[in-house]
Amino acid sequence: MHRPNQAREYLGHQRSGPPRASRALGSALLSLGAAASVALAAPHAARAEAPVQRTFFRLPSSNGFGAVLLDLGAARLTHFRERLPATEEPLLDERREEVWIGNQPQAVRTRDLLYDAYFGLRSDGHQRWLTEVPVDLDASGYAGWTDGQRGGTGVVTMVQRVGNLECTQLFFAPQGLPQAGFVMAMRIENRGEGPAEGVSAFSLHNFHLGFGRPGVMADIGESGETVAYDASQGRRDFLERAFAGVVVARALEPPARHGASRAGSPPDLDVYRIVADDGGADLPDLDGAAPTADGSVSAFQWDLGSIGPGEARWVGVAFAHHGDPSGAADPLVQGALDAYLGAKRAAEVVADEIAAYRAFQGSIRVPPSASPEETALLRQSAVMLRMAQSRESHAFLREHLTRDSEPRATRFGTTLGGAPATLPATIAHRGHGAVLASLPPGEWTVAWIRDGAYATVAMAALGMQAEARDALRFYLDAEAGRFQGWSELASYDMPPYQISLVRYHGFGVEETDFNDFGPNLEFDGFGLFLWALRQYEELTGDTGFVDERWAAASTKVADALVALIDPDTGLVRKDSSIWETHWKGRERSFAYTSITAARGLCDAAAVAERRGEAERAAGYRGAAERLRAAIAARLTDASGALAANLEELTSGSGYWDAAVLEGIAMGLFDPQGRIAAATLAGLDEHLRVPAGAGWSRNDDRTDHAGADDLSPWGSEYDSAEWVVTDLRGAVAARLMGDVARSDRLLRWVLDQSAANYLAIAETYDEIRGTYKFNAPMVGFGAGVYALALAARDGLVVGPACGAYFEESAASGSGAGGGPSSSGAAGAGAGGVGAAGADAAGADAAGGSDNDSNGGGGSSGDLREDAGCGCRLASSGRDAAPSALAAAVAAAGRTRRRRRAQR
């Protein structure tokens, strides 16, 4: 309702001149125009990448409880979600059993409560909604956190001009409001030489609070909505209620009019048509409550009168939501706005929000070498990390799910660990601290452990200690271990575990996704969590938190990981890994999983050693070193290049995967050694994209042509250029001494992000170089960018287990029996493949797989003093690779799909 054709005319020009200082905020508020040159920064002179284009126009703001989305292309807000994550918990039936439809587990989906909201303006004898006015895209974007700076806040601005009036609109989810809500404010400045007479401003708020839960980026119904106006106690509040709860809309300046209408209202009572038809009429007032109707909307009108040259006026509305439509929650929502706003007007509310971000930025650690452009992107990345972290620990749940006749049940009680609550009730859940993989409009508003690990380490590196600690606590407190008894893992003798095998629902419950090839089940999260835990300790000095949670981290993460090492291959058992290939014969012995496992076990050994647990430390270190040797033995081709997985390497082709760059970036292999050189050369030959500076994530879209395809899932998602591998590749290239290559990758991501409002993409189109799929990304975007800048300034992950793998003692013609990459032929002479192979077979794991401490045996490598940065010396003996691990349980075996074990 009330969303006309969104075809837009864009203004591509710079502002005609610097803005006059805001009397309330200072020049920081409107510094976007002055900094617009950063957005279209000239590309690096030596770069041959495609020209950067601005193609991303939907900018989010979040306070950790909910989120809003400003669409610059449509010139309006188009999204307000009731909570941050895309789902809440598994859907339960009346017996509190999890619901499955076919092979798909069902979930309770979060709702989008807003169809749209926007401002209007009356001036020069005409009135219109500003959705019909061109947006100055160069002057719009995230507001500066201080004077002269670009970005660094969650306040999204949109600049439009009507005659001599410049309308700067600001939208944000308030950091000081501990529930889902948002503010929309507008500053109207007269930039002409004479007064502007008869100026009025309007706002329209079109919430959908009816039936349905179709998914968080889809509109729910608008049936049965009631709008009432409350002027008691000096308030200026609309209360709109229906099935999905109540929203309070409070005018921040005293309005001249407050109207509401519904679908089918006559034109002279339709608040949208009154402004859109440009007849000069005022909005009709609504006093009390309007009849319940479908498609209700509310609107404010402010009569501003004359605005002199250089003068400005402010208007605005603050909103808050609660899920209870009964009326019992009205005092709670209005009270929350009372506490947040006090007597503040629009200008002060905006100024305070920017001041809160200024205080936040005061604690952010910026690498000394960062340029002004890099600093702007880094500071905005810190904001993205913060906005993507859930701050909610309680939630009101109705007794109905999608409509009045459909009951809802929950697994959560009114206190953590308590008996499941009888709804309606406010429940306590485990979602606080979760970090989403993306913010809206990105599809991945879900907490993956993989993305979250990169985000957590970035937070620690940036000085966001509390946020990093909350993220680690989330992983250790969430409900996990739910898939231990699944038939897919039966042959693995799956140990008890704490880290999700994929991701989490918003209330902190482990989940996975399915397709025709079964679930995703991934083991890389174990090693990544241990890496993040150790990095947190190193970067913050907070050993107390690590010690407090070490019992769970060691027994249910590190010990579980050791138990997942396959004695037949020496590698971590087959899984779906980073690119989520699913199961039913599509699981593989992925290099990325084993790389992250080796790194994580080395880090677990370091924590255990610090704590004086010598036997445990030796066990973890021994397991890590044997695993690293197995990677070198089984997952490198004849040139020494790391392969995607054992199965494709064995086939002889189609084994290229940019994720293996972590073998270098995470310190397993010597950056100056043959494995590193061959790997980068092979990736350049097989995965380098035409448009950008980096690589496709793998070759699965085009590999195995005319042969048995071991990766038949390949798609555009695989051939796209991935930012996470570009930035981890930048870290690897710098360690390898290729500073120019590293800088080129960093510059490519910087220029792309600067042109697209400081939102880092998931992927770029491999042909055009434009944003593709999801943005803004958090762990795989903001997080890895922060880590790449920190690495450039020397904050690098040291050699795993204190030393790089010793390649010089290796001999033989190739690793894993794989062919040589022609692109890596010059990487070095001789084979690295047999290095450590004696430790990679059935005897490699010794008895350590069954030892709760990870075993205590030596890896067979000779070490100098631990932590000295020296290299490990291999035994140098050659051994042929052993047979592949036995196949997992046959497809068709009945799965255990009832309530998962807790």
Side-chain angles (χ1 to χ4, degrees), residues 736-751:
M736 295 171 68
D738 192 346
V739 173
R741 181 68 179 280
S742 179
D743 287 345
R744 181 178 180 182
L745 288 160
L746 282 170
R747 186 74 210 192
W748 174 233
V749 174
L750 172 64
D751 288 351

Side-chain angles (χ1 to χ4, degrees), residues 395-768:
F396 174 83
L397 306 182
R398 292 200 66 192
E399 69 275 29
H400 306 296
L401 184 64
T402 66
R403 57 182 58 250
D404 292 330
S405 60
E406 185 179 9
R408 177 177 181 176
T410 183
R411 68 199 308 111
F412 291 97
T414 56
T415 59
L416 276 180
T422 299
L423 302 180
T426 297
I427 58 94
H429 61 72
R430 300 181 181 277
H432 181 86
V435 182
L436 306 188
S438 75
L439 284 163
E443 181 181 358
W444 310 128
T445 54
V446 179
W448 265 270
I449 172 60
R450 181 167 42 251
D451 304 61
Y454 290 104
T456 301
V457 177
M459 287 172 171
L462 288 166
M464 300 168 62
Q465 179 175 343
E467 290 87 347
R469 184 176 60 246
D470 284 348
L472 293 169
R473 183 180 287 118
F474 165 78
Y475 299 122
L476 291 168
D477 289 342
E479 185 181 335
R482 285 165 31 88
F483 310 146
Q484 182 183 356
W486 279 17
S487 61
E488 288 87 352
L489 301 174
S491 66
Y492 290 7
D493 192 21
M494 190 70 188
Y497 65 91
Q498 177 56 41
I499 299 302
S500 174
L501 299 190
V502 186
R503 58 193 192 187
Y504 301 88
H505 290 293
F507 289 173
V509 181
E510 181 184 26
E511 72 147 330
T512 185
D513 63 305
F514 281 74
N515 65 15
D516 290 341
F517 290 89
N520 277 310
L521 297 168
E522 303 151 21
F523 303 145
D524 53 286
F526 292 78
L528 286 167
F529 172 82
L530 295 170
W531 168 67
L533 186 70
R534 172 62 173 164
Q535 286 294 296
Y536 170 81
E537 177 178 288
E538 287 286 284
L539 292 167
T540 68
D542 183 7
T543 59
F545 171 78
V546 178
D547 289 343
E548 174 191 337
R549 308 310 301 267
W550 179 242
S554 58
T555 60
K556 288 195 172 184
V557 186
D559 289 356
L561 182 54
V562 171
L564 283 169
I565 297 175
D566 187 342
D568 289 334
T569 65
L571 304 170
V572 176
R573 293 185 184 273
K574 296 179 183 181
D575 73 335
S576 307
S577 201
I578 181 173
W579 306 132
E580 303 201 321
T581 60
H582 291 269
W583 215 256
K584 290 187 179 180
R586 294 188 170 190
E587 65 272 27
R588 300 280 183 266
S589 300
F590 282 103
Y592 179 83
T593 300
S594 287
I595 288 167
T596 55
R599 178 73 231 188
L601 287 172
C602 284
D603 288 318
V607 174
E609 191 168 53
R610 175 187 61 76
R611 289 173 47 82
E613 301 175 7
E615 183 179 0
R616 186 181 292 275
Y620 292 155
R621 184 176 297 109
E625 291 173 350
R626 290 189 295 273
L627 181 54
R628 175 165 54 179
I631 296 168
R634 294 184 172 273
L635 293 176
T636 56
D637 71 6
S639 73
L642 288 163
N645 57 72
L646 178 61
E647 292 74 17
E648 289 186 297
L649 179 61
T650 302
S651 77
S653 66
Y655 53 79
W656 297 102
D657 181 357
V660 303
L661 286 163
E662 287 294 10
I664 308 165
M666 285 194 165
L668 270 67
F669 299 105
D670 188 350
Q672 306 300 317
R674 181 169 176 268
I675 290 177
T679 298
L680 189 58
L683 294 178
D684 280 347
E685 178 181 356
H686 294 276
L687 299 184
R688 185 72 180 274
V689 298
W695 308 273
S696 299
R697 73 179 188 183
N698 57 47
D699 58 4
D700 289 350
R701 188 180 181 188
T702 57
D703 60 0
H704 307 132
D708 184 22
D709 192 354
L710 293 181
S711 48
W713 50 77
S715 69
E716 287 188 43
Y717 220 39
D718 297 292
S719 59
E721 179 182 4
W722 278 69
V723 172
V724 62
T725 49
D726 281 5
L727 290 172
R728 298 306 287 167
V731 174
R734 190 169 300 277
L735 289 170
M736 295 171 68
D738 192 346
V739 173
R741 181 68 179 280
S742 179
D743 287 345
R744 181 178 180 182
L745 288 160
L746 282 170
R747 186 74 210 192
W748 174 233
V749 174
L750 172 64
D751 288 351
Q752 286 273 19
S753 306
N756 287 279
Y757 302 108
L758 304 176
I760 301 179
E762 177 184 44
T763 51
Y764 306 135
D765 186 276
E766 64 272 30
I767 305 301
R768 297 183 297 275

Side-chain angles (χ1 to χ4, degrees), residues 262-328:
R262 62 186 186 276
S265 291
D268 61 333
L269 297 178
D270 185 321
V271 294
Y272 172 78
R273 293 254 55 96
I274 289 169
V275 176
D277 289 347
D278 192 19
D282 293 328
L283 300 181
D285 278 336
L286 169 67
D287 294 315
T292 299
D294 297 343
S296 297
V297 298
S298 60
F300 287 116
Q301 176 180 329
W302 298 269
D303 292 339
L304 306 177
S306 177
I307 303 178
E311 293 183 345
R313 299 285 189 274
W314 284 84
V315 298
V317 189
F319 304 84
H321 170 259
H322 192 282
D324 183 1
S326 69

Side-chain angles (χ1 to χ4, degrees), residues 99-143:
V99 176
W100 290 69
I101 298 178
N103 67 352
Q104 293 295 322
Q106 302 301 296
V108 179
R109 298 170 177 171
T110 300
R111 294 172 291 199
D112 174 12
L113 305 175
L114 180 67
Y115 189 75
D116 54 12
Y118 43 85
F119 284 109
L121 185 72
R122 177 190 292 165
S123 63
D124 297 327
H126 296 279
Q127 59 193 36
R128 81 289 290 164
W129 293 111
L130 291 177
T131 53
E132 303 306 311
V133 175
V135 174
D136 187 338
L137 295 174
D138 291 341
S140 302
Y142 286 100

